[in-house]
Amino acid sequence: FDTLLGIAEEEEDGSVIASDCLVITANLLKANPSNGNYFREMGCVPAHVVRLLSRATEQQEAYLWKGIVDLLALLLPGGSDTQAAQTHLGKQGVLAQLVAVSVQGWLPKDAQATTLRLIGVLVHKHSPNRLLMSGLPSASGQEEGALSSLLALALRPRPDDPLHSCNDAAAALFRSLLDGNVDGQQHLAASLMPQPTFEDEPGFPPPAPPLGRALLRALMGVSSAGADEVAAKEEVALELLDQVCGAARVLAHVLAGNAVCQEIAVATPLELPTTEAPPEYFLRSLLRASSSSPPGGGGIDPRAQVAL
């Protein structure tokens, strides 16, 4: 392991020798938990993997990144050794590196989808890694942190990804994060509620909406693109369709099996009431929108009704 990964570190991006070294290492790990344990015990992750990931990030070497991510996936074979591997990769900073790069635009779609799926495995039923990921900062510095950037991947497809593989992987990541995670579900559900607005300080951009409010806006078909950025009405309809479908899938994971979260969703108004009149509730408005006419008539695209 030490020799193979050491050679891979010395080679340039796209090198056949580096590729062969990663393939041989992967073959030694495949379906062999004993070798996987030995890989971790030898310190190969901090000695080589972390450095290779950092190099791939700094130099935007997509080929190298994909090879290392495929190799890391073999350290999580399932069974009794999976939790030890999850803990090890979280403590060594691998999870943080994966999350930071997964939202960057230089990754090809297949590498991005693979990275998102690996993150999902790392946080699946693993409380320390879930807590770690929830506290990671956003690459763009948003207050909501990395989860806000990951949510955007679930809502907005890549232009070069017609099959929506990255959207699917991002939505599946939230399923892994929230499955059986009562506290995480309730934290996100609480952010559905509207918050009082304050005047923005001059010179500072308005704060990003909480995750729950971003989900609510997407579900109600609020476009994130400005009028000048959209070339045709058909593109607007497709964007809104993708947002609605992605948001519905994520919100389903927030509500699944959690009565408290379901009660919060039922009681969530679209906006804080400003008069004594009863508030307009989110789910009632969503039901009305999904039952009305398709785009052009003011409603949500009928194809989105399946997701809803």
Side-chain angles (χ1 to χ4, degrees):
F1 289 137
D2 196 52
T3 301
L4 289 166
L5 294 177
I7 293 172
E9 285 186 71
E10 295 172 359
E11 294 294 317
E12 297 180 356
D13 183 36
S15 164
V16 175
I17 296 175
S19 175
D20 287 345
C21 288
L22 293 178
V23 169
I24 295 170
T25 304
N27 287 336
L28 291 171
L29 293 172
K30 190 176 297 182
N32 195 318
S34 177
N35 279 357
N37 291 336
Y38 190 53
F39 188 92
R40 298 197 307 269
E41 292 167 1
M42 279 185 61
C44 290
V45 172
H48 297 291
V49 171
V50 171
R51 291 210 297 262
L52 284 167
L53 288 175
S54 297
R55 176 186 131 183
T57 304
E58 293 168 4
Q59 302 180 21
Q60 297 189 358
E61 299 179 19
Y63 185 82
L64 176 62
W65 178 270
K66 179 67 163 56
I68 295 299
V69 168
D70 289 340
L71 188 151
L72 287 170
L74 295 171
L75 295 174
L76 299 157
S80 59
D81 294 323
T82 298
Q83 195 160 55
Q86 288 173 304
T87 301
H88 183 69
L89 295 177
K91 287 183 176 180
Q92 296 300 330
V94 171
L95 175 59
Q97 285 182 292
L98 294 174
V99 171
V101 175
S102 67
V103 298
Q104 296 183 15
W106 60 267
L107 275 183
K109 62 181 179 182
D110 58 337
Q112 185 179 47
T114 301
T115 302
L116 291 169
R117 286 192 291 268
L118 179 59
I119 295 170
V121 176
L122 285 172
V123 299
H124 182 61
K125 296 185 178 179
H126 193 277
S127 298
N129 282 355
R130 285 173 167 175
L131 187 62
L132 172 63
M133 193 175 82
S134 298
L136 290 174
S138 169
S140 60
Q142 297 181 33
E143 290 183 8
E144 282 299 310
L147 288 180
S148 180
S149 300
L150 292 168
L151 177 62
L153 293 181
L155 302 183
R156 293 193 292 273
R158 294 169 55 125
D160 62 344
D161 187 18
L163 297 180
H164 295 183
S165 59
C166 293
N167 292 90
D168 293 343
L173 189 160
F174 276 92
R175 180 185 61 205
S176 296
L177 176 67
L178 297 172
D179 182 23
N181 183 3
V182 175
D183 291 339
Q185 287 176 305
Q186 292 182 4
H187 177 75
L188 285 179
S191 67
L192 288 169
M193 287 291 182
Q195 302 297 321
T197 57
F198 302 97
E199 292 187 5
D200 301 326
E201 296 185 26
F204 291 91
L211 283 181
R213 296 303 291 177
L215 275 176
L216 186 148
R217 286 173 57 85
L219 277 167
M220 295 306 299
V222 179
S223 174
S224 63
D228 296 337
E229 301 174 11
V230 179
K233 291 184 178 181
E234 183 179 356
E235 293 182 20
V236 177
L238 289 174
E239 178 193 346
L240 297 183
L241 171 61
D242 293 328
Q243 287 188 12
V244 169
C245 291
R249 293 170 66 185
V250 173
L251 184 58
H253 302 318
V254 175
L255 304 180
N258 193 315
V260 173
C261 294
Q262 293 162 13
E263 291 175 4
I264 292 174
V266 169
T268 296
L270 279 176
E271 301 293 345
L272 288 175
T274 57
T275 66
E276 295 183 357
E280 183 71 16
Y281 288 103
F282 153 58
L283 287 180
R284 184 182 301 168
S285 300
L286 181 62
L287 179 62
R288 185 185 307 119
S290 63
S291 302
S292 62
S293 57
I300 290 177
D301 191 298
R303 292 171 291 171
Q305 294 185 21
V306 176
L308 295 173

